[in-house]
Amino acid sequence: MLAAGLEVLRIQEALAARRGNLVAELLRGQGEFYEQEHYPDGDVFDPESGAQYYYHAHRGDAREHGHFHVFMRPHHLPERFEPARRGKPGIALPCGPTGNAALAHIIAIGMDNYGLPVRLFTVNRWVTDETWFAARDVIAMLERFQVGHAYPSAEVNGWLTNLLRLFHPEIAELIRRRDAAVEARARANPRANALEDRSLEITAALDISVERRLRQLRRQLG
């Protein structure tokens, strides 16, 4: 985790030295930036690992410039992951695309106007039209996330891969809190499907700082 954090910081500082940042590097050559559109066009996908991500922004969100949505495609993993099937009152399962089209949302990463990460958050199923997997399976997929190629930027891909390693415990906890939030909503309204409840969008969130996390790790390691 410390090595991953140092690589995250190195990439951020290297881009800053060139008067750039992660978001500017990702958007370079992508044309005019429009809210709600995916960048880069067609998303970034690594067929070797099943990792996928895109960046976009929402209208009127003063807290951040935009955010990354990070996914894994289970069909590309050596292990067999099955979508959640044990439905409870208020949670209709299975839910989402199936087979090769199955897509598991791992985490979203909020970026500030300086192109730095400031928040991690999980979302309800309807937000990204993902396939709903149990938290334990999503956490197992998190451990396999890696973008090993250079499109659209080797630096952005390396940064994202290492950021998920740096904040692995926090992301795993947010994924568990995601399931808890959906289950709580289902108990409150068992006649509806909590996974499609438009009033439940962000299921768990945490403000982050790379520098603060590195200081914590150094203290723990002595």
Side-chain angles (χ1 to χ4, degrees):
M1 288 167 60
L2 179 60
L6 292 173
E7 180 63 6
V8 165
L9 191 61
R10 184 196 68 78
I11 293 170
Q12 291 179 178
E13 291 176 345
L15 289 170
R18 306 200 304 263
R19 299 182 181 272
N21 60 56
L22 273 302
V23 175
E25 178 70 9
L26 176 72
L27 298 178
R28 185 163 51 89
Q30 296 294 320
E32 189 169 354
F33 184 73
Y34 294 97
E35 293 171 339
Q36 302 292 352
E37 295 292 324
H38 290 199
Y39 292 90
D41 184 33
D43 300 1
V44 177
F45 175 61
D46 187 335
E48 295 296 322
S49 67
Q52 182 170 330
Y53 74 86
Y54 65 82
Y55 183 84
H56 76 164
H58 294 172
R59 180 178 293 107
D61 192 340
R63 294 169 299 175
E64 59 184 40
H65 174 273
H67 48 265
F68 289 91
H69 278 295
V70 176
F71 304 87
M72 288 293 289
R73 287 196 172 274
H75 177 70
H76 291 262
L77 295 172
E79 301 93 333
R80 185 171 179 83
F81 291 95
E82 293 291 342
R85 295 186 181 279
R86 296 183 61 187
K88 300 178 182 179
I91 301 177
L93 294 172
C95 199
T98 60
N100 294 357
L103 187 69
H105 185 264
I106 305 297
I107 198 68
I109 305 164
M111 307 294 286
D112 67 13
N113 288 320
Y114 300 97
L116 295 173
V118 293
R119 184 172 68 136
L120 301 171
F121 60 98
T122 53
V123 296
N124 201 356
R125 193 216 74 84
W126 64 266
V127 176
T128 59
D129 193 29
E130 66 174 301
T131 305
W132 195 254
F133 290 85
R136 65 179 180 277
D137 289 338
V138 180
I139 293 168
M141 294 181 210
L142 161 66
E143 295 170 358
R144 292 150 179 78
F145 182 89
Q146 180 171 346
V147 182
H149 58 67
Y151 173 80
S153 164
E155 286 175 303
V156 174
N157 293 346
W159 174 87
L160 192 60
T161 297
N162 283 285
L163 189 81
L164 266 61
R165 293 172 180 164
L166 173 63
F167 288 104
H168 180 281
E170 290 83 357
I171 295 172
E173 179 58 25
L174 288 171
I175 294 168
R176 286 188 283 265
R177 286 171 54 192
R178 177 206 71 165
D179 279 23
V182 169
E183 290 172 7
R185 183 59 57 92
R187 289 193 298 270
N189 187 10
R191 294 187 176 183
N193 183 4
L195 296 172
E196 305 301 324
D197 187 341
R198 263 48 180 181
S199 69
L200 179 60
E201 180 176 0
I202 295 176
T203 51
L206 175 70
D207 291 341
I208 62 168
S209 162
V210 170
E211 291 81 0
R212 183 173 65 243
R213 187 75 179 101
L214 284 171
R215 288 196 296 270
Q216 292 170 346
L217 287 171
R218 287 186 173 113
R219 285 198 299 270
Q220 291 169 4
L221 293 171

